[in-house]
Amino acid sequence: QVQLVESGGGLVQAGDSLTLSCAASGRTFGSYATGWFRQVPGKERDFVAAIIMSSLATDYADSVKGRFTVSRDSAKNTVYLQMNNLKPEDTAVYYCGADDGGATWINIRSARAYDYWGQGTQVTVSS
């Protein structure tokens, strides 16, 4: 069992930066990947970024590529999402997810690949 806690959200202006943290407890992070997703009311949870825990390979949604960076600090058992040049359309609740052995490079963009989720952290970007 993995418990995930996101933090670092807030209200910022367009062009600002934020760093979200996803801290794991219970055991180390998911077997294969940790993903960041975001969700706005009435819509599905959308893929933002993912990091492969063994190779540190990363994947990003096209909408955030070049602006967001996902990284891992194994000593702190924490995965980060550095978000630069934020835009109003980045406004959402951000969630991190960890898999329990079911994720692969093929499905890491799907929320269904992840078994554990944090409670989410709100990011609001004003124009």
mmCIF file of all heavy atoms in Angstrom, residues 5 8-9 21-22 25 38 46 57 68-69 72 76-77 83 85 91 99 115 120 123-124:
data_model
loop_
_atom_site.group_PDB
_atom_site.id
_atom_site.type_symbol
_atom_site.label_atom_id
_atom_site.label_comp_id
_atom_site.label_asym_id
_atom_site.label_seq_id
_atom_site.Cartn_x
_atom_site.Cartn_y
_atom_site.Cartn_z
ATOM 1 N N VAL A 5 0.690 12.111 -0.913
ATOM 2 C CA VAL A 5 0.213 13.420 -0.474
ATOM 3 C C VAL A 5 0.804 14.482 -1.384
ATOM 4 O O VAL A 5 2.033 14.631 -1.462
ATOM 5 C CB VAL A 5 0.612 13.700 0.985
ATOM 6 C CG1 VAL A 5 0.153 15.109 1.388
ATOM 7 C CG2 VAL A 5 0.013 12.654 1.922
ATOM 8 N N GLY A 8 1.827 22.069 -2.625
ATOM 9 C CA GLY A 8 2.481 23.071 -3.441
ATOM 10 C C GLY A 8 1.573 23.876 -4.345
ATOM 11 O O GLY A 8 2.032 24.797 -5.013
ATOM 12 N N GLY A 9 0.304 23.533 -4.372
ATOM 13 C CA GLY A 9 -0.616 24.294 -5.206
ATOM 14 C C GLY A 9 -0.869 25.686 -4.658
ATOM 15 O O GLY A 9 -0.442 26.027 -3.549
ATOM 16 N N SER A 21 4.649 18.925 -5.140
ATOM 17 C CA SER A 21 5.338 17.772 -4.565
ATOM 18 C C SER A 21 4.352 16.634 -4.358
ATOM 19 O O SER A 21 3.188 16.865 -4.033
ATOM 20 C CB SER A 21 5.971 18.131 -3.222
ATOM 21 O OG SER A 21 6.914 19.161 -3.354
ATOM 22 N N CYS A 22 4.840 15.423 -4.528
ATOM 23 C CA CYS A 22 4.050 14.219 -4.272
ATOM 24 C C CYS A 22 4.910 13.331 -3.382
ATOM 25 O O CYS A 22 5.873 12.728 -3.853
ATOM 26 C CB CYS A 22 3.698 13.524 -5.579
ATOM 27 S SG CYS A 22 2.854 11.933 -5.384
ATOM 28 N N SER A 25 4.429 7.477 1.230
ATOM 29 C CA SER A 25 4.710 6.777 2.485
ATOM 30 C C SER A 25 4.065 5.407 2.420
ATOM 31 O O SER A 25 3.270 5.113 1.540
ATOM 32 C CB SER A 25 4.170 7.561 3.677
ATOM 33 O OG SER A 25 2.766 7.712 3.588
ATOM 34 N N ARG A 38 -4.362 16.069 -14.076
ATOM 35 C CA ARG A 38 -5.124 17.214 -13.598
ATOM 36 C C ARG A 38 -6.582 17.067 -14.020
ATOM 37 O O ARG A 38 -6.894 16.410 -15.005
ATOM 38 C CB ARG A 38 -4.536 18.524 -14.108
ATOM 39 C CG ARG A 38 -4.541 18.706 -15.612
ATOM 40 C CD ARG A 38 -3.702 19.941 -15.976
ATOM 41 N NE ARG A 38 -3.682 20.191 -17.416
ATOM 42 C CZ ARG A 38 -2.912 21.115 -17.991
ATOM 43 N NH1 ARG A 38 -2.111 21.864 -17.252
ATOM 44 N NH2 ARG A 38 -2.978 21.294 -19.300
ATOM 45 N N ASP A 46 -6.985 14.286 -16.718
ATOM 46 C CA ASP A 46 -6.113 14.307 -17.884
ATOM 47 C C ASP A 46 -4.650 14.120 -17.515
ATOM 48 O O ASP A 46 -4.173 14.661 -16.513
ATOM 49 C CB ASP A 46 -6.265 15.639 -18.636
ATOM 50 C CG ASP A 46 -7.614 15.779 -19.314
ATOM 51 O OD1 ASP A 46 -8.228 14.743 -19.658
ATOM 52 O OD2 ASP A 46 -8.049 16.925 -19.507
ATOM 53 N N ALA A 57 13.121 7.996 -17.070
ATOM 54 C CA ALA A 57 12.573 8.499 -18.328
ATOM 55 C C ALA A 57 11.281 9.245 -18.029
ATOM 56 O O ALA A 57 10.565 8.911 -17.064
ATOM 57 C CB ALA A 57 12.309 7.343 -19.281
ATOM 58 N N PHE A 68 6.726 22.239 -18.228
ATOM 59 C CA PHE A 68 6.693 21.443 -17.004
ATOM 60 C C PHE A 68 7.834 20.430 -16.995
ATOM 61 O O PHE A 68 8.219 19.908 -18.048
ATOM 62 C CB PHE A 68 5.370 20.683 -16.881
ATOM 63 C CG PHE A 68 4.151 21.535 -16.627
ATOM 64 C CD1 PHE A 68 4.180 22.915 -16.731
ATOM 65 C CD2 PHE A 68 2.958 20.928 -16.268
ATOM 66 C CE1 PHE A 68 3.055 23.684 -16.503
ATOM 67 C CE2 PHE A 68 1.816 21.676 -16.030
ATOM 68 C CZ PHE A 68 1.870 23.060 -16.146
ATOM 69 N N THR A 69 8.332 20.148 -15.804
ATOM 70 C CA THR A 69 9.380 19.145 -15.640
ATOM 71 C C THR A 69 9.047 18.251 -14.449
ATOM 72 O O THR A 69 8.796 18.762 -13.348
ATOM 73 C CB THR A 69 10.745 19.801 -15.408
ATOM 74 O OG1 THR A 69 11.053 20.675 -16.509
ATOM 75 C CG2 THR A 69 11.835 18.749 -15.300
ATOM 76 N N ARG A 72 12.378 13.266 -9.630
ATOM 77 C CA ARG A 72 12.225 12.411 -8.449
ATOM 78 C C ARG A 72 13.422 12.617 -7.530
ATOM 79 O O ARG A 72 14.556 12.728 -7.993
ATOM 80 C CB ARG A 72 12.155 10.943 -8.875
ATOM 81 C CG ARG A 72 12.180 9.943 -7.722
ATOM 82 C CD ARG A 72 12.437 8.543 -8.220
ATOM 83 N NE ARG A 72 12.519 7.595 -7.123
ATOM 84 C CZ ARG A 72 12.854 6.322 -7.256
ATOM 85 N NH1 ARG A 72 13.126 5.844 -8.463
ATOM 86 N NH2 ARG A 72 12.909 5.519 -6.220
ATOM 87 N N LYS A 76 14.146 11.491 -0.548
ATOM 88 C CA LYS A 76 12.972 12.061 0.116
ATOM 89 C C LYS A 76 11.691 11.326 -0.245
ATOM 90 O O LYS A 76 10.620 11.683 0.228
ATOM 91 C CB LYS A 76 12.837 13.545 -0.238
ATOM 92 C CG LYS A 76 13.984 14.408 0.269
ATOM 93 C CD LYS A 76 13.757 15.871 -0.067
ATOM 94 C CE LYS A 76 14.882 16.735 0.494
ATOM 95 N NZ LYS A 76 14.703 18.175 0.176
ATOM 96 N N ASN A 77 11.807 10.324 -1.102
ATOM 97 C CA ASN A 77 10.640 9.575 -1.555
ATOM 98 C C ASN A 77 9.563 10.512 -2.086
ATOM 99 O O ASN A 77 8.371 10.375 -1.777
ATOM 100 C CB ASN A 77 10.085 8.701 -0.424
ATOM 101 C CG ASN A 77 9.563 7.379 -0.918
ATOM 102 O OD1 ASN A 77 9.955 6.909 -1.980
ATOM 103 N ND2 ASN A 77 8.660 6.777 -0.159
ATOM 104 N N MET A 83 6.456 23.597 -12.639
ATOM 105 C CA MET A 83 5.589 24.182 -13.655
ATOM 106 C C MET A 83 6.003 25.633 -13.876
ATOM 107 O O MET A 83 5.939 26.456 -12.957
ATOM 108 C CB MET A 83 4.123 24.115 -13.201
ATOM 109 C CG MET A 83 3.666 22.719 -12.818
ATOM 110 S SD MET A 83 1.918 22.617 -12.443
ATOM 111 C CE MET A 83 1.823 23.626 -10.973
ATOM 112 N N ASN A 85 5.992 29.181 -16.583
ATOM 113 C CA ASN A 85 5.168 29.884 -17.564
ATOM 114 C C ASN A 85 3.714 29.396 -17.521
ATOM 115 O O ASN A 85 3.132 29.030 -18.550
ATOM 116 C CB ASN A 85 5.751 29.700 -18.972
ATOM 117 C CG ASN A 85 5.097 30.591 -19.994
ATOM 118 O OD1 ASN A 85 4.515 31.622 -19.653
ATOM 119 N ND2 ASN A 85 5.170 30.198 -21.254
ATOM 120 N N THR A 91 -5.199 25.816 -14.930
ATOM 121 C CA THR A 91 -5.999 25.779 -13.706
ATOM 122 C C THR A 91 -6.722 24.448 -13.582
ATOM 123 O O THR A 91 -7.439 24.031 -14.494
ATOM 124 C CB THR A 91 -7.016 26.935 -13.696
ATOM 125 O OG1 THR A 91 -6.310 28.178 -13.659
ATOM 126 C CG2 THR A 91 -7.944 26.836 -12.505
ATOM 127 N N ASP A 99 1.527 3.338 -9.588
ATOM 128 C CA ASP A 99 0.961 2.061 -10.023
ATOM 129 C C ASP A 99 1.390 0.943 -9.084
ATOM 130 O O ASP A 99 2.326 1.085 -8.309
ATOM 131 C CB ASP A 99 1.403 1.752 -11.457
ATOM 132 C CG ASP A 99 2.835 1.254 -11.517
ATOM 133 O OD1 ASP A 99 3.736 2.057 -11.223
ATOM 134 O OD2 ASP A 99 3.050 0.067 -11.838
ATOM 135 N N ASP A 115 -2.899 2.860 -9.447
ATOM 136 C CA ASP A 115 -3.716 2.247 -8.412
ATOM 137 C C ASP A 115 -3.873 3.118 -7.172
ATOM 138 O O ASP A 115 -4.818 2.946 -6.401
ATOM 139 C CB ASP A 115 -3.089 0.912 -7.994
ATOM 140 C CG ASP A 115 -2.941 -0.021 -9.175
ATOM 141 O OD1 ASP A 115 -3.968 -0.611 -9.577
ATOM 142 O OD2 ASP A 115 -1.812 -0.166 -9.693
ATOM 143 N N GLY A 120 -5.020 15.435 -4.076
ATOM 144 C CA GLY A 120 -5.032 16.527 -5.040
ATOM 145 C C GLY A 120 -4.655 17.852 -4.414
ATOM 146 O O GLY A 120 -4.800 18.076 -3.206
ATOM 147 N N VAL A 123 -4.460 24.188 -8.274
ATOM 148 C CA VAL A 123 -3.641 25.199 -8.935
ATOM 149 C C VAL A 123 -4.580 26.129 -9.689
ATOM 150 O O VAL A 123 -5.373 25.678 -10.521
ATOM 151 C CB VAL A 123 -2.622 24.566 -9.905
ATOM 152 C CG1 VAL A 123 -1.911 25.646 -10.710
ATOM 153 C CG2 VAL A 123 -1.620 23.711 -9.144
ATOM 154 N N THR A 124 -4.498 27.408 -9.384
ATOM 155 C CA THR A 124 -5.328 28.402 -10.053
ATOM 156 C C THR A 124 -4.422 29.471 -10.646
ATOM 157 O O THR A 124 -3.607 30.062 -9.935
ATOM 158 C CB THR A 124 -6.314 29.053 -9.079
ATOM 159 O OG1 THR A 124 -7.129 28.044 -8.478
ATOM 160 C CG2 THR A 124 -7.218 30.048 -9.807
#
